[in-house]
Amino acid sequence: MKKLKLILSGIIIGLALGLWFGVNIGKGNPILSNPFDGPTLKQRLKDTTGDAVERAGREMEELGSGIKGNLEKD
């Protein structure tokens, strides 16, 4: 009975640690950080501005190709 308790407690602790580490790895955070922490303001700003810059770049590229096409027609 004592062995069974030891095995079950080992499995439970192993699952808890595996879940903790797995969530952090999946989010791209350091392994020992808190998996329930939300993104910091710095990270949210970085993500938002990165998306905005990417969208602006695509729009400028489309605008440039439209202008280039109009100039080639003339």
Side-chain angles (χ1 to χ4, degrees):
M1 191 65 167
K2 192 172 183 177
K3 277 189 171 184
L4 181 61
K5 285 183 182 179
L6 185 64
I7 290 172
L8 285 176
S9 60
I11 289 173
I12 290 171
I13 290 171
L15 285 172
L17 288 175
L19 181 63
W20 183 287
F21 295 156
V23 168
N24 281 331
I25 290 171
K27 289 183 177 179
N29 294 338
I31 291 180
L32 297 177
S33 67
N34 184 355
F36 302 111
D37 277 345
T40 61
L41 178 62
K42 181 179 178 181
Q43 184 63 37
R44 289 191 320 222
L45 285 173
K46 185 177 177 183
D47 293 343
T48 303
T49 55
D51 292 343
V53 168
E54 187 177 321
R55 263 194 314 252
R58 281 195 307 260
E59 289 176 9
M60 289 184 69
E61 187 176 297
E62 290 172 5
L63 180 63
S65 65
I67 292 173
K68 183 180 177 184
N70 287 340
L71 290 175
E72 287 176 353
K73 288 179 185 177
D74 292 336

